[in-house]
Amino acid sequence: MHDHEDLELILHTTYYGILQAIVYGTLSAADHISQFLSRHDIDTTWSLIKAAVLPSLLILVNGVSESFSGLALDSFRQDASTTKQGVYAMIVLFTSHYQIYRMYVGSAYGKNGIRGRVHDAHLNPKHRAVEPEKYLYRCMDHRAAQSYPVCLLRFDTSVDIAIPLIAEAMMVCVFGTFNNSFYKRLRHAALHDVDWLCGANQNDPLTTGDSTLAWKGCLAYKRNKKLENALMGGPVKVRRPMRGRKNPWTYVSLWDNVRIGINQDTVAAWKLTNGSVVNMMYDIQEAGHPHSFALDAPKHSDAFKLGILFSKQINGVEQTVWSQRDGKNAVRTANSLYDWISGRIDDDVDNHQWGEDRLPLFGAQAASQVKPRRSVKKKPGWAIKKSTKAPTPARLQLSLAKPTSLRSVPKSKR
């Protein structure tokens, strides 16, 4: 259990760690935050943040180890009704399984302060309906979910918007709500371990207002949610090729250049069509997987440890099948997926060194390997030429395209 002195030390270390990373360029921040830090004393800013901390913060820091079970979270609702600026958390617990939670950290600095963000937005069903794809709202709208707003910091006097955003970044790091390699390294060792996949933050708070930085953060968020979905055996859509193609196969597309195949016997038995939904789960066994995805993977290699399981409910009975492929490309794919699952790939994916035995999953290197769509080659000779008049069928006429040589003219017209 931490006390107030422990919490102050943790917050102090986190605050200066974030500011140092911004100054040295190892952590991206929007221009207005960088400009604020260059114009204001950082010790004064720290004093404002420290004075804004509420008792609820220490309670949640100690309660995260038990997934907030046993805490009277309803008692914090009143503080979340303030119209002051500050930082808040939305905690979503599931009545079917109290060990599973989702947590979102946000900051409020506009009209109506925290009340405007919590009650007028997050807890308002009409507002949630406008953004149904938002991960936090999908969790809140789950039939077994209970949502609890908690105010963590409250600024009694008006402050520059950079201060709540910096404080929000600190809380994101403390509670592990944004799955980011920098915050993982910065998070204080004295804090209780957290499951970073339980976080519901989509972007780094420090990139608020910068569309380019926010876009990069959104891509990282989507990658992390795709990983979480696969680790929990979540739903994925099946893709099937167009009829008439040579060597047709059915697959789940992870990215443009990564496809996980499903054998044709399973496709027929499960009656899968384009757009059908199945469940897919990654399974790691360090001693070697008995159903390794890559059939040609050397023993004791990373690829040999990965299994990929598909499942689907058929007439009330769950059917399962392991996806398996042979070939060098399957080994490269399995190696990269293992790296991704085990946390070896950080958020700087564009500069990640994949190696020859790894298939680039995402980033600039992966984009360069996506095969362009095949274009239909036009044969020289006859073509349809439209007049400048209205394109009615009567005015469409066949004409001989201008040949570059006699060989391009059909023999019948020579």
Side-chain angles (χ1 to χ4, degrees):
M1 296 288 288
H2 299 293
D3 56 23
H4 290 283
E5 292 183 0
D6 295 335
L7 180 61
E8 182 176 339
L9 175 61
I10 291 170
L11 296 180
H12 184 271
T13 304
T14 305
Y15 171 76
Y16 282 97
I18 290 174
L19 264 57
Q20 185 180 32
I22 294 174
V23 170
Y24 285 102
T26 56
L27 181 62
S28 300
D31 290 341
H32 66 275
I33 295 179
S34 300
Q35 292 170 5
F36 171 84
L37 294 176
S38 65
R39 297 194 308 264
H40 294 81
D41 180 62
I42 59 175
D43 292 332
T44 302
T45 302
W46 160 245
S47 298
L48 290 171
I49 293 176
K50 183 174 68 172
V53 172
L54 296 178
S56 56
L57 177 57
L58 179 60
I59 296 174
L60 291 189
V61 167
N62 287 321
V64 72
S65 62
E66 299 295 331
S67 302
F68 307 111
S69 60
L71 296 183
L73 295 176
D74 267 327
S75 62
F76 301 125
R77 286 183 180 271
Q78 185 63 34
D79 289 336
S81 298
T82 179
T83 57
K84 302 284 188 181
Q85 295 173 309
V87 180
Y88 63 91
M90 286 296 301
I91 300 174
V92 182
L93 300 181
F94 298 90
T95 55
S96 57
H97 199 310
Y98 282 101
Q99 293 302 312
I100 298 178
Y101 73 93
R102 294 295 181 266
M103 184 175 185
Y104 172 85
V105 172
S107 58
Y109 39 82
K111 183 180 179 180
N112 293 330
I114 290 178
R115 179 180 180 82
R117 292 295 298 149
V118 171
H119 293 278
D120 299 343
H122 302 323
L123 295 178
N124 184 354
K126 293 183 179 179
H127 179 86
R128 294 201 303 271
V130 177
E131 301 180 272
E133 75 286 348
K134 191 170 184 178
Y135 181 67
L136 171 65
Y137 295 164
R138 295 208 313 269
C139 294
M140 293 177 66
D141 290 333
H142 191 278
R143 62 180 181 277
Q146 294 287 338
S147 303
Y148 302 92
V150 182
C151 184
L152 304 177
L153 289 89
R154 183 183 63 225
F155 297 97
D156 293 326
T157 58
S158 180
V159 296
D160 189 284
I161 64 172
I163 297 180
L165 289 173
I166 294 171
E168 180 186 353
M170 294 167 58
M171 297 300 103
V172 161
C173 181
V174 168
F175 290 105
T177 60
F178 180 57
N179 199 341
N180 174 280
S181 58
F182 171 79
Y183 290 121
K184 285 181 178 179
R185 294 192 300 269
L186 179 63
R187 193 169 187 270
H188 203 285
L191 289 167
H192 298 293
D193 291 337
V194 294
D195 184 352
W196 289 80
L197 295 177
C198 289
N201 282 74
Q202 181 171 342
N203 293 318
D204 188 337
L206 299 176
T207 64
T208 302
D210 190 313
S211 58
T212 302
L213 295 176
W215 176 74
K216 290 183 178 179
C218 185
L219 293 180
Y221 167 83
K222 288 182 178 179
R223 288 195 299 268
N224 292 327
K225 287 307 167 189
K226 188 170 286 191
L227 174 60
E228 176 190 10
N229 183 66
L231 290 176
M232 297 179 66
V236 291
K237 282 189 177 181
V238 169
R239 303 298 180 196
R240 293 208 64 186
M242 296 181 350
R243 291 180 180 178
R245 281 193 179 180
K246 187 178 180 181
N247 299 323
W249 68 308
T250 305
Y251 58 88
V252 170
S253 178
L254 300 183
W255 295 277
D256 289 340
N257 63 324
V258 183
R259 296 173 177 178
I260 308 300
I262 306 176
N263 65 63
Q264 294 303 310
D265 291 339
T266 302
V267 172
W270 294 3
K271 299 179 180 179
L272 299 179
T273 60
N274 189 44
S276 295
V277 176
V278 297
N279 294 322
M280 183 183 72
M281 185 175 68
Y282 299 141
D283 184 46
I284 297 292
Q285 296 192 21
E286 294 295 338
H289 204 287
H291 306 284
S292 177
F293 167 72
L295 294 174
D296 297 333
K299 288 188 176 181
H300 310 298
S301 67
D302 291 336
F304 189 63
K305 304 172 185 177
L306 172 68
I308 300 178
L309 180 69
F310 287 111
S311 63
K312 185 176 178 63
Q313 290 281 340
I314 307 292
N315 298 325
V317 179
E318 186 177 41
Q319 305 289 334
T320 61
V321 64
W322 294 95
S323 178
Q324 294 183 307
R325 285 174 54 192
D326 56 6
K328 182 180 179 180
N329 204 46
V331 177
R332 296 178 66 212
T333 300
N335 278 328
S336 296
L337 287 175
Y338 179 86
D339 289 347
W340 185 38
I341 296 167
S342 56
R344 296 179 183 176
I345 302 174
D346 58 24
D347 296 306
D348 189 14
V349 294
D350 287 335
N351 296 319
H352 183 76
Q353 300 299 318
W354 294 95
E356 294 183 359
D357 61 341
R358 260 72 176 164
L359 180 74
L361 299 180
F362 26 68
Q365 194 174 350
S368 65
Q369 294 191 6
V370 177
K371 295 180 180 180
R373 292 183 178 180
R374 291 181 296 178
S375 58
V376 179
K377 295 182 179 179
K378 295 182 179 179
K379 296 182 180 180
W382 296 95
I384 295 178
K385 182 180 179 181
K386 292 183 180 180
S387 68
T388 56
K389 298 180 181 180
T392 59
R395 290 196 175 101
L396 285 177
Q397 56 184 354
L398 288 174
S399 65
L400 187 63
K402 232 177 185 179
T404 55
S405 67
L406 186 61
R407 293 180 180 177
S408 62
V409 180
K411 292 182 178 180
S412 61
K413 295 295 181 180
R414 289 183 184 176

